[in-house]
Amino acid sequence: MNPTSEHILDNGLKVIISESHATATACCSIWYRAGSKHETSGATGLAHLLEHMMFKGTRRFPKGELDATFHRNGAISNASTWLDRTNYYELISTDRLELILDLEADRMRGALFTQSDLDDEMTVVRNELERNEDDPFTNLFERIQSTAFLEHPYHWPTIGWRSDVEAIRADQIHDFYNKFYQPNNAFVVIVGAVETRAALRMVEKYMGAIPPGPARPPVVTVEPPQKGERRVIIRKPGENDLLGLAYRIPQRLHPDNYALDLLGQILGQGRTSRLYKSLVEQKLAVAASAMNFSTLEDPYLFFLDAEVSPGVKPDDVEAAIDGTIRELQESPALAAELERAQKRNRVAYIYRKDRVSGQAFFLGELEASCGWRFGLTYLDEMEQVTIGDIQRVARQYLIPNHRTVGRYLAVREGEETITSVPELPSQKVEGPGEETIEWDQALGTAGRPVKSPSVKTGSGALPKTHREVLDNGATLLVRSNRSNQTIEIAGRFEGGMLLEGAGRGMTHALAQMWDRGTQRRKRAEIAEILEGLGAGISFQGSIEVFGFNMKCLSEDLETVTGLLAEMLKEPAFPDEEWEIVRAQMLNTIRESRQDTFDRAYYRCMEMLCGAENLYARFPMGSEEDLAGISVADLSRLHSKALAASSLTVAAVGDVEAGDAIDLLRRTLGDLVPGRPFPTREEARRWTGFAPPAGSPRDHVELPEKFQVDMVFAKPGLARDDAGYDPAYVANFILGGYFSSRLSKQLRDNEGLTYGVYSRLRPGLGIVPWYISIGVHPSNMEKAREGVLREMKILCETGVKDDEFEDAIQHLTGSFPVRLETNRAVADMLLDGERYGHGPDVIEKYVDRLRRIKKADVETQAVRLFEPESMVLASAGTLKVPGATA
């Protein structure tokens, strides 16, 4: 990690600063020692609900203006609540740091909570609760946790019990805020291109004068020792049984956690792990993992889980897990297993330096649980762990008397369940709601933005991209970044699903099989090499391309690149590995049948494009499709895909451009040139469909779902279309970010949903454009009307001047933030090459956006968003009072 310093202000606020000058960005995060464990029975969910309400505004920044300022200044912002803490963070261009500290200082003690705002937010929170109920993994984990802890407040989930949440009043939130949101119960973490003394002066300027509050009341409840195994069973509709085992372990500072961390790696991380060998390879489970979750102030859980293979009894999987644990308890771990686990941990520390946000979150989580200095000695302590220590902690902690076993038993169609369809909310809730966003989206505004100075992108500091075309036609793009000893290589072969013809599912199957063994090495040997180096190689298949990604330390570049080339050129496609992959794909297909978004999305695409259209296909095909695929089919598809003339590779990281080009020429220069694949022509052949007449609708009934997903779709436009950039801005304004028009109206003003988004995806084909929204079944008609209304208003009245300016300001201001990682830079270079923007796509990006005219955005809005002939599909249950199809 970078050199880190700690400072404590007179009011008790702790400030942790770590300088990292790789990019002109910084991550500023404010952490409060206030999580769900600080709540009381009957008032659970307070910490999480307070997190929501912190975005409602202050006296200085009324409702909407706080978000507007984040948005206009290009910040990627979010918040999260967990058991021990709540944090708020902004990833920003460094010159915006002072503004962010001003805003965070204001809401540290100036946040407003009204009963009206709380009532408005409640529908959004209910929607979040319903999403958790519909997710089998979340459902099972929460039930295991609440069974493993009976007295300690880790008993309840972070989001709270539904009945408690619905009963919370604004005065309770205000009391919780006054009790915990004080400078002496908070700390600030700043990581990035800052000068420590200057950053500290900013914190002192804005937060130093805030008076300290009362001392935080301690959590006095101690969970008593567990003296017997506990079990919990959930029976709900689904396709796959899940199994989870949680063992009680000590808090983070206990010295046994070094060995427990490594035990988790050995048991259940990667294809060399023991659970993978005993469960996945033996076809008892399609996936299995193990992890030490001791990252908290108080004792928590060591967790193992498995997704049971179809036709296998959960009893047999549990017996196999017990046998795997018992074998490790009775026979020492192998030296190679321990060495791999220790190397992976060391490499993870280095990888973390690639992102200032990753460093900030790491320091913050440590400080919240055990103090950030724990990380300074962690690697040294971990290196002292012996094979005997691994075996000792396995014997001491992984015993039945200390565990809770949970099973999610999927009830198939026609079988009786013991649950019931959710009732409608007991009270009518209308009005706006506000919530934080997913990490890769930008926070927006519900009101007119606060004007702020222009944002500097910092992109001029980025190094030059070197482009070279090899004799076989492969295009290489290399960009040095010597700030950390890591490198990422990404590549794309044109073709993807366009090559598979009638062999549905083959593209995804080939991508999953590409790393399952070569003519020279078996899958196990490849896994041992990669996991032993802490490196990674993965493959992907999409409609238009096959992709691959590689990440490693620069010291291992020759080894890992050589292995990547071997995997690309000489895959073996062993029958036994295809059976494992096929089982995993079948499992995903079954899971998708119970996923409300998947069912709505693919039904919508069928209605828009036609059932046989490539863009309406589920990528993995069907059970019948997979049954007909052989390894010989995969080998033939591989031969068609592996054409150097259709390959573009981008390498970004700790390497000189000339050295990287020489290495790639040596390893990939002998690829067969082949013919360039005509992706544009082939994709246009599939996407030259006309929208159906009228505005057709359909519904897929999925019983006992708490939420209905709705998907609206129309033909989109190709990425190389001259109107794509203004269309991208139009989509951004309509629904491309968290506080877009759709989100403001349907979430903030009407309280119908947790999230609504529109998606304009890039491609050489005319990729369908769509809107997705999740709602309670009773709100479907309101949501439909609202979506169509907002589209119509935008088409008819156009874009407001300040709305347009704010969109351009955000997209340009957040640009350096979005290039935080080598992977993001590599992906942008690949896009620049594919869509004709050239190797200087990064240098030209901001100017390209600033040349967009508002009139062009309005023209593309009419072209895309005219609501006539809008196709709508939904999935979920309509068997509740008031629901309409």
mmCIF file of all heavy atoms in Angstrom, residues 649-679:
data_model
loop_
_atom_site.group_PDB
_atom_site.id
_atom_site.type_symbol
_atom_site.label_atom_id
_atom_site.label_comp_id
_atom_site.label_asym_id
_atom_site.label_seq_id
_atom_site.Cartn_x
_atom_site.Cartn_y
_atom_site.Cartn_z
ATOM 1 N N VAL A 649 -5.866 -6.488 -29.665
ATOM 2 C CA VAL A 649 -5.366 -6.698 -28.305
ATOM 3 C C VAL A 649 -4.907 -5.368 -27.732
ATOM 4 O O VAL A 649 -4.230 -4.590 -28.413
ATOM 5 C CB VAL A 649 -4.189 -7.705 -28.294
ATOM 6 C CG1 VAL A 649 -3.666 -7.894 -26.875
ATOM 7 C CG2 VAL A 649 -4.602 -9.045 -28.883
ATOM 8 N N ALA A 650 -5.275 -5.108 -26.474
ATOM 9 C CA ALA A 650 -4.823 -3.906 -25.771
ATOM 10 C C ALA A 650 -4.088 -4.322 -24.503
ATOM 11 O O ALA A 650 -4.606 -5.120 -23.717
ATOM 12 C CB ALA A 650 -5.997 -2.998 -25.421
ATOM 13 N N ALA A 651 -2.887 -3.803 -24.316
ATOM 14 C CA ALA A 651 -2.089 -4.077 -23.122
ATOM 15 C C ALA A 651 -1.838 -2.759 -22.405
ATOM 16 O O ALA A 651 -1.336 -1.800 -23.012
ATOM 17 C CB ALA A 651 -0.769 -4.741 -23.498
ATOM 18 N N VAL A 652 -2.156 -2.714 -21.116
ATOM 19 C CA VAL A 652 -2.015 -1.489 -20.334
ATOM 20 C C VAL A 652 -1.398 -1.835 -18.991
ATOM 21 O O VAL A 652 -1.877 -2.741 -18.294
ATOM 22 C CB VAL A 652 -3.385 -0.803 -20.113
ATOM 23 C CG1 VAL A 652 -3.209 0.479 -19.305
ATOM 24 C CG2 VAL A 652 -4.070 -0.511 -21.434
ATOM 25 N N GLY A 653 -0.342 -1.121 -18.613
ATOM 26 C CA GLY A 653 0.235 -1.354 -17.297
ATOM 27 C C GLY A 653 1.724 -1.167 -17.255
ATOM 28 O O GLY A 653 2.308 -0.411 -18.046
ATOM 29 N N ASP A 654 2.368 -1.885 -16.365
ATOM 30 C CA ASP A 654 3.768 -1.687 -16.010
ATOM 31 C C ASP A 654 4.698 -2.378 -17.019
ATOM 32 O O ASP A 654 5.327 -3.396 -16.723
ATOM 33 C CB ASP A 654 4.001 -2.238 -14.595
ATOM 34 C CG ASP A 654 5.415 -1.995 -14.100
ATOM 35 O OD1 ASP A 654 6.027 -0.996 -14.517
ATOM 36 O OD2 ASP A 654 5.908 -2.820 -13.303
ATOM 37 N N VAL A 655 4.756 -1.812 -18.212
ATOM 38 C CA VAL A 655 5.609 -2.374 -19.259
ATOM 39 C C VAL A 655 5.888 -1.278 -20.281
ATOM 40 O O VAL A 655 5.033 -0.425 -20.537
ATOM 41 C CB VAL A 655 4.926 -3.589 -19.940
ATOM 42 C CG1 VAL A 655 3.641 -3.172 -20.646
ATOM 43 C CG2 VAL A 655 5.873 -4.297 -20.889
ATOM 44 N N GLU A 656 7.068 -1.277 -20.833
ATOM 45 C CA GLU A 656 7.378 -0.362 -21.925
ATOM 46 C C GLU A 656 6.659 -0.825 -23.177
ATOM 47 O O GLU A 656 6.529 -2.025 -23.435
ATOM 48 C CB GLU A 656 8.884 -0.310 -22.178
ATOM 49 C CG GLU A 656 9.679 0.355 -21.068
ATOM 50 C CD GLU A 656 9.344 1.836 -20.929
ATOM 51 O OE1 GLU A 656 8.877 2.433 -21.932
ATOM 52 O OE2 GLU A 656 9.545 2.393 -19.834
ATOM 53 N N ALA A 657 6.187 0.133 -23.971
ATOM 54 C CA ALA A 657 5.391 -0.205 -25.144
ATOM 55 C C ALA A 657 6.146 -1.137 -26.085
ATOM 56 O O ALA A 657 5.591 -2.128 -26.578
ATOM 57 C CB ALA A 657 4.974 1.069 -25.866
ATOM 58 N N GLY A 658 7.414 -0.835 -26.344
ATOM 59 C CA GLY A 658 8.181 -1.672 -27.259
ATOM 60 C C GLY A 658 8.331 -3.092 -26.759
ATOM 61 O O GLY A 658 8.246 -4.052 -27.536
ATOM 62 N N ASP A 659 8.558 -3.245 -25.450
ATOM 63 C CA ASP A 659 8.702 -4.594 -24.891
ATOM 64 C C ASP A 659 7.392 -5.372 -25.003
ATOM 65 O O ASP A 659 7.393 -6.571 -25.300
ATOM 66 C CB ASP A 659 9.119 -4.505 -23.423
ATOM 67 C CG ASP A 659 10.512 -3.923 -23.245
ATOM 68 O OD1 ASP A 659 11.292 -3.952 -24.221
ATOM 69 O OD2 ASP A 659 10.807 -3.430 -22.150
ATOM 70 N N ALA A 660 6.267 -4.693 -24.751
ATOM 71 C CA ALA A 660 4.968 -5.367 -24.844
ATOM 72 C C ALA A 660 4.679 -5.784 -26.273
ATOM 73 O O ALA A 660 4.182 -6.891 -26.526
ATOM 74 C CB ALA A 660 3.867 -4.452 -24.324
ATOM 75 N N ILE A 661 4.969 -4.917 -27.234
ATOM 76 C CA ILE A 661 4.732 -5.253 -28.636
ATOM 77 C C ILE A 661 5.595 -6.431 -29.060
ATOM 78 O O ILE A 661 5.136 -7.360 -29.744
ATOM 79 C CB ILE A 661 4.969 -4.013 -29.522
ATOM 80 C CG1 ILE A 661 3.856 -2.996 -29.282
ATOM 81 C CG2 ILE A 661 5.038 -4.406 -30.994
ATOM 82 C CD1 ILE A 661 4.102 -1.654 -29.946
ATOM 83 N N ASP A 662 6.861 -6.436 -28.635
ATOM 84 C CA ASP A 662 7.737 -7.570 -28.963
ATOM 85 C C ASP A 662 7.200 -8.866 -28.373
ATOM 86 O O ASP A 662 7.203 -9.917 -29.037
ATOM 87 C CB ASP A 662 9.150 -7.315 -28.434
ATOM 88 C CG ASP A 662 9.879 -6.231 -29.228
ATOM 89 O OD1 ASP A 662 9.429 -5.924 -30.349
ATOM 90 O OD2 ASP A 662 10.882 -5.699 -28.709
ATOM 91 N N LEU A 663 6.740 -8.815 -27.131
ATOM 92 C CA LEU A 663 6.218 -10.015 -26.476
ATOM 93 C C LEU A 663 4.964 -10.520 -27.194
ATOM 94 O O LEU A 663 4.819 -11.725 -27.450
ATOM 95 C CB LEU A 663 5.903 -9.709 -25.015
ATOM 96 C CG LEU A 663 5.241 -10.832 -24.205
ATOM 97 C CD1 LEU A 663 6.136 -12.071 -24.157
ATOM 98 C CD2 LEU A 663 4.920 -10.353 -22.792
ATOM 99 N N LEU A 664 4.048 -9.628 -27.518
ATOM 100 C CA LEU A 664 2.823 -10.038 -28.190
ATOM 101 C C LEU A 664 3.109 -10.534 -29.606
ATOM 102 O O LEU A 664 2.432 -11.447 -30.100
ATOM 103 C CB LEU A 664 1.826 -8.878 -28.217
ATOM 104 C CG LEU A 664 1.275 -8.481 -26.841
ATOM 105 C CD1 LEU A 664 0.477 -7.180 -26.929
ATOM 106 C CD2 LEU A 664 0.400 -9.593 -26.270
ATOM 107 N N ARG A 665 4.100 -9.952 -30.264
ATOM 108 C CA ARG A 665 4.470 -10.439 -31.592
ATOM 109 C C ARG A 665 5.013 -11.866 -31.495
ATOM 110 O O ARG A 665 4.694 -12.719 -32.327
ATOM 111 C CB ARG A 665 5.512 -9.512 -32.225
ATOM 112 C CG ARG A 665 5.907 -9.949 -33.645
ATOM 113 C CD ARG A 665 7.027 -9.102 -34.224
ATOM 114 N NE ARG A 665 6.596 -7.737 -34.493
ATOM 115 C CZ ARG A 665 7.008 -6.681 -33.827
ATOM 116 N NH1 ARG A 665 7.858 -6.816 -32.809
ATOM 117 N NH2 ARG A 665 6.592 -5.477 -34.140
ATOM 118 N N ARG A 666 5.823 -12.143 -30.478
ATOM 119 C CA ARG A 666 6.376 -13.487 -30.316
ATOM 120 C C ARG A 666 5.310 -14.517 -29.978
ATOM 121 O O ARG A 666 5.383 -15.675 -30.402
ATOM 122 C CB ARG A 666 7.437 -13.489 -29.214
ATOM 123 C CG ARG A 666 8.777 -12.929 -29.658
ATOM 124 C CD ARG A 666 9.849 -13.109 -28.608
ATOM 125 N NE ARG A 666 9.793 -12.108 -27.548
ATOM 126 C CZ ARG A 666 9.520 -12.368 -26.288
ATOM 127 N NH1 ARG A 666 9.215 -13.601 -25.905
ATOM 128 N NH2 ARG A 666 9.512 -11.395 -25.385
ATOM 129 N N THR A 667 4.317 -14.117 -29.176
ATOM 130 C CA THR A 667 3.336 -15.090 -28.697
ATOM 131 C C THR A 667 2.097 -15.200 -29.583
ATOM 132 O O THR A 667 1.466 -16.265 -29.642
ATOM 133 C CB THR A 667 2.892 -14.725 -27.268
ATOM 134 O OG1 THR A 667 2.479 -13.360 -27.232
ATOM 135 C CG2 THR A 667 4.033 -14.943 -26.287
ATOM 136 N N LEU A 668 1.738 -14.123 -30.278
ATOM 137 C CA LEU A 668 0.518 -14.142 -31.087
ATOM 138 C C LEU A 668 0.783 -13.960 -32.582
ATOM 139 O O LEU A 668 -0.153 -14.046 -33.384
ATOM 140 C CB LEU A 668 -0.442 -13.034 -30.627
ATOM 141 C CG LEU A 668 -0.923 -13.120 -29.180
ATOM 142 C CD1 LEU A 668 -1.797 -11.913 -28.834
ATOM 143 C CD2 LEU A 668 -1.692 -14.418 -28.932
ATOM 144 N N GLY A 669 2.034 -13.721 -32.940
ATOM 145 C CA GLY A 669 2.360 -13.458 -34.345
ATOM 146 C C GLY A 669 2.179 -14.648 -35.251
ATOM 147 O O GLY A 669 2.102 -14.495 -36.481
ATOM 148 N N ASP A 670 2.100 -15.863 -34.683
ATOM 149 C CA ASP A 670 1.921 -17.049 -35.531
ATOM 150 C C ASP A 670 0.466 -17.497 -35.640
ATOM 151 O O ASP A 670 0.181 -18.569 -36.186
ATOM 152 C CB ASP A 670 2.778 -18.206 -35.015
ATOM 153 C CG ASP A 670 2.419 -18.616 -33.594
ATOM 154 O OD1 ASP A 670 1.689 -17.847 -32.922
ATOM 155 O OD2 ASP A 670 2.866 -19.702 -33.155
ATOM 156 N N LEU A 671 -0.473 -16.710 -35.128
ATOM 157 C CA LEU A 671 -1.884 -17.020 -35.325
ATOM 158 C C LEU A 671 -2.206 -16.992 -36.815
ATOM 159 O O LEU A 671 -1.694 -16.160 -37.566
ATOM 160 C CB LEU A 671 -2.773 -15.999 -34.614
ATOM 161 C CG LEU A 671 -3.022 -16.176 -33.117
ATOM 162 C CD1 LEU A 671 -3.826 -14.978 -32.604
ATOM 163 C CD2 LEU A 671 -3.771 -17.460 -32.841
ATOM 164 N N VAL A 672 -3.065 -17.888 -37.260
ATOM 165 C CA VAL A 672 -3.469 -17.927 -38.659
ATOM 166 C C VAL A 672 -4.199 -16.630 -39.000
ATOM 167 O O VAL A 672 -5.130 -16.240 -38.282
ATOM 168 C CB VAL A 672 -4.379 -19.131 -38.930
ATOM 169 C CG1 VAL A 672 -4.860 -19.129 -40.379
ATOM 170 C CG2 VAL A 672 -3.651 -20.426 -38.612
ATOM 171 N N PRO A 673 -3.822 -15.951 -40.088
ATOM 172 C CA PRO A 673 -4.471 -14.674 -40.407
ATOM 173 C C PRO A 673 -5.977 -14.808 -40.628
ATOM 174 O O PRO A 673 -6.760 -14.048 -40.054
ATOM 175 C CB PRO A 673 -3.762 -14.221 -41.688
ATOM 176 C CG PRO A 673 -2.457 -14.928 -41.668
ATOM 177 C CD PRO A 673 -2.697 -16.236 -40.994
ATOM 178 N N GLY A 674 -6.398 -15.769 -41.415
ATOM 179 C CA GLY A 674 -7.817 -15.929 -41.697
ATOM 180 C C GLY A 674 -8.374 -14.716 -42.431
ATOM 181 O O GLY A 674 -7.644 -13.813 -42.858
ATOM 182 N N ARG A 675 -9.678 -14.712 -42.579
ATOM 183 C CA ARG A 675 -10.339 -13.578 -43.224
ATOM 184 C C ARG A 675 -10.968 -12.678 -42.161
ATOM 185 O O ARG A 675 -11.551 -13.177 -41.213
ATOM 186 C CB ARG A 675 -11.433 -14.065 -44.176
ATOM 187 C CG ARG A 675 -10.914 -14.840 -45.371
ATOM 188 C CD ARG A 675 -12.087 -15.244 -46.253
ATOM 189 N NE ARG A 675 -11.621 -15.957 -47.438
ATOM 190 C CZ ARG A 675 -12.423 -16.432 -48.385
ATOM 191 N NH1 ARG A 675 -13.736 -16.259 -48.251
ATOM 192 N NH2 ARG A 675 -11.934 -17.068 -49.426
ATOM 193 N N PRO A 676 -10.866 -11.367 -42.335
ATOM 194 C CA PRO A 676 -11.553 -10.482 -41.376
ATOM 195 C C PRO A 676 -13.045 -10.787 -41.350
ATOM 196 O O PRO A 676 -13.675 -10.888 -42.412
ATOM 197 C CB PRO A 676 -11.273 -9.076 -41.927
ATOM 198 C CG PRO A 676 -10.071 -9.232 -42.811
ATOM 199 C CD PRO A 676 -10.151 -10.614 -43.382
ATOM 200 N N PHE A 677 -13.587 -10.942 -40.170
ATOM 201 C CA PHE A 677 -15.011 -11.281 -40.086
ATOM 202 C C PHE A 677 -15.862 -10.029 -40.322
ATOM 203 O O PHE A 677 -15.630 -8.996 -39.687
ATOM 204 C CB PHE A 677 -15.339 -11.872 -38.719
ATOM 205 C CG PHE A 677 -16.764 -12.364 -38.620
ATOM 206 C CD1 PHE A 677 -17.134 -13.576 -39.183
ATOM 207 C CD2 PHE A 677 -17.738 -11.607 -37.997
ATOM 208 C CE1 PHE A 677 -18.447 -14.030 -39.114
ATOM 209 C CE2 PHE A 677 -19.046 -12.038 -37.918
ATOM 210 C CZ PHE A 677 -19.404 -13.263 -38.485
ATOM 211 N N PRO A 678 -16.841 -10.103 -41.213
ATOM 212 C CA PRO A 678 -17.676 -8.918 -41.513
ATOM 213 C C PRO A 678 -18.754 -8.714 -40.453
ATOM 214 O O PRO A 678 -19.949 -8.851 -40.717
ATOM 215 C CB PRO A 678 -18.274 -9.274 -42.877
ATOM 216 C CG PRO A 678 -18.394 -10.767 -42.859
ATOM 217 C CD PRO A 678 -17.208 -11.259 -42.062
ATOM 218 N N THR A 679 -18.341 -8.344 -39.252
ATOM 219 C CA THR A 679 -19.292 -8.232 -38.143
ATOM 220 C C THR A 679 -20.420 -7.249 -38.458
ATOM 221 O O THR A 679 -21.590 -7.531 -38.204
ATOM 222 C CB THR A 679 -18.565 -7.769 -36.862
ATOM 223 O OG1 THR A 679 -17.501 -8.662 -36.586
ATOM 224 C CG2 THR A 679 -19.525 -7.742 -35.685
#
